Amino acid sequence: MSSQRGYSQKTERPTTGRTGKPQQPTKPAGGPSQSLQLPRAASQRSASVSFNFRIDSLSPNWAALGPQQDEIGRWIPPFHWNAYHAADGNLYRWRGGRITHAPQATPGAKYSSVTVFTQYPDTQHFLAVPFDARTQNVVENNGWRSLGFHHVEVHEDGPQYSELDFDPPSPEHHLVAPGPSGSSWVNELFTEQYRHNINSDPNPPPESAGLIGKLTLILALVAFVRPLADLHTSLTAHVAPRQWLPYNLVSNGLTQYRGMVVTIWLDRQSDTTADVLRAFEQGEYGPIFR
């Protein structure tokens, strides 16, 4: 791996995806800020990706366990499986980048779950674990984890993406790379503490051609854009094929002690497999938002 301006490590992935089919995106003239042109096969595959998901709301159950703080006095979510109040959400379907309510769907095999809390108002950070915290103790599974980014080239000589994941490997990876000109997902999905500040660092990471990464985490951030009562609008009004449709208001979904569990299942009405979802998360079919 090579380092760029001492800021981020640029990871180059093999040109053959997990599906075993070589796919070579064309690097757009003038860099990632230009319109990203994907091979027809990748574009068609992205349009066919489908899965079911549900977002259950969480809040701490103070009767089970009193408020907890980290070593410098900031609030942190509960560590034990029974220390939450929970409300099951509605079932949705993601198909080709559009989200619809799918109350009659019968999900297939479970793909993944995450639990995410905001640390607001103590910080603007998100804390998460890669499982449903109602099913096992966080304290026995490495505790609450931070979010960060890999700055990656999915294909050799292709555009660079910001890949959302757990536990940034270095302080530099805590920040999302600036998005393409005219994009709004950087400012609306990520709080100020995740965005590059030119006043504190005049050398930003290379511009990102879009956002990729764990779908459960991305869906959680989409949900946090608006208050819980407006969850349906967050999911259906701002998500489009490879696009984040601007909210154009300051995010007001970050409320004290708000948390959620996001679970994804395979869609029985689709031929999308777990391998396809992993390839989609890793940018093999282009960005999730650009």
Side-chain angles (χ1 to χ4, degrees):
M1 294 187 292
S2 61
S3 177
Q4 297 191 355
R5 286 183 279 182
Y7 191 92
S8 63
Q9 290 182 325
K10 183 177 68 173
T11 303
E12 295 183 359
R13 291 209 178 104
T15 57
T16 299
R18 298 202 179 228
T19 57
K21 297 180 180 179
Q23 297 170 356
Q24 294 283 353
T26 302
K27 189 173 184 178
S33 62
Q34 305 296 318
S35 177
L36 180 62
Q37 300 298 317
L38 296 169
R40 181 179 297 274
S43 180
Q44 290 176 339
R45 196 38 150 163
S46 176
S48 69
V49 170
S50 182
F51 57 87
N52 296 127
F53 71 93
R54 192 179 73 197
I55 299 178
D56 300 338
S57 63
L58 290 186
S59 61
N61 177 4
W62 301 127
L65 187 68
Q68 301 171 113
Q69 296 179 332
D70 63 15
E71 63 277 5
I72 60 174
R74 299 176 300 189
W75 177 81
I76 51 177
F79 283 101
H80 297 278
W81 68 270
N82 63 345
Y84 306 98
H85 292 297
D88 289 348
N90 294 315
L91 192 63
Y92 287 88
R93 173 177 287 112
W94 171 299
R95 177 171 288 165
R98 298 192 184 279
I99 295 175
T100 56
H101 188 207
Q104 304 304 318
T106 302
K110 179 180 172 180
Y111 175 67
S112 64
S113 288
V114 298
T115 305
V116 185
F117 273 87
T118 172
Q119 209 174 18
Y120 179 88
D122 291 351
T123 78
Q124 294 185 15
H125 290 123
F126 296 102
L127 299 175
V129 290
F131 53 84
D132 184 340
R134 299 169 296 180
T135 64
Q136 52 187 302
N137 291 330
V138 172
V139 70
E140 297 167 0
N141 289 275
N142 301 314
W144 291 99
R145 299 164 65 177
S146 58
L147 303 184
F149 306 89
H150 305 285
H151 304 300
V152 301
E153 277 187 4
V154 178
H155 302 280
E156 186 177 0
D157 295 326
Q160 180 166 293
Y161 298 124
S162 292
E163 181 181 23
L164 179 62
D165 201 351
F166 292 96
D167 298 331
S170 68
E172 291 83 2
H173 284 73
H174 178 73
L175 302 175
V176 62
S181 176
S183 65
S184 60
W185 58 266
V186 173
N187 291 333
E188 295 192 355
L189 289 178
F190 297 100
T191 58
E192 185 176 351
Q193 291 186 11
Y194 290 97
R195 303 195 297 262
H196 174 262
N197 185 344
I198 196 167
N199 294 321
S200 60
D201 182 0
N203 297 311
E207 183 177 291
S208 169
L211 178 67
I212 60 175
K214 294 190 182 302
L215 287 162
T216 44
L217 292 178
I218 291 173
L219 288 169
L221 296 188
V222 170
F224 273 117
V225 166
R226 289 177 178 259
L228 176 60
D230 294 334
L231 175 61
H232 179 79
T233 302
S234 293
L235 296 173
T236 59
H238 303 301
V239 178
R242 293 208 191 92
Q243 296 182 71
W244 171 255
L245 302 180
Y247 183 32
N248 293 327
L249 293 172
V250 175
S251 172
N252 60 359
L254 300 180
T255 55
Q256 190 172 22
Y257 307 136
R258 184 182 179 189
M260 61 189 69
V261 175
V262 182
T263 303
I264 290 177
W265 296 272
L266 299 183
D267 184 355
R268 293 181 185 274
Q269 298 182 17
S270 166
D271 62 356
T272 298
T273 64
D275 283 343
V276 168
L277 288 182
R278 279 189 286 271
F280 184 47
E281 291 178 316
Q282 294 172 353
E284 293 289 340
Y285 311 140
I288 295 171
F289 297 134
R290 62 181 176 191

